[in-house]
Amino acid sequence: MISSAPLTKLLRFLQDDLAISASSMAIVLKQIEHNPGPIPMLLWQYGLVTIEQLDRIYDWMDAT
């Protein structure tokens, strides 16, 4: 799993820039406790982000 500082930055980006709801984030964070995986892919697999948003997330991650 990602360390806490990068995770905090990612969660802030998702909520502030992409307007991902806190409830959507809670679903994904609960899921990674039981089945670790990349947060962006889990968001997409659960239908919580579009493919365009997924691209933005990975672009942001590459830039940070």
Side-chain angles (χ1 to χ4, degrees), residues 10-44:
L10 175 59
L11 296 178
R12 187 172 301 128
F13 169 76
L14 294 171
Q15 291 182 316
D16 294 348
D17 291 31
L18 296 182
I20 305 301
S21 70
S23 60
S24 293
M25 292 307 308
I27 291 168
V28 170
L29 293 174
K30 183 173 178 129
Q31 177 62 30
I32 62 172
E33 289 176 10
H34 303 289
N35 185 15
I39 290 173
M41 287 305 299
L42 289 171
L43 285 165
W44 183 70

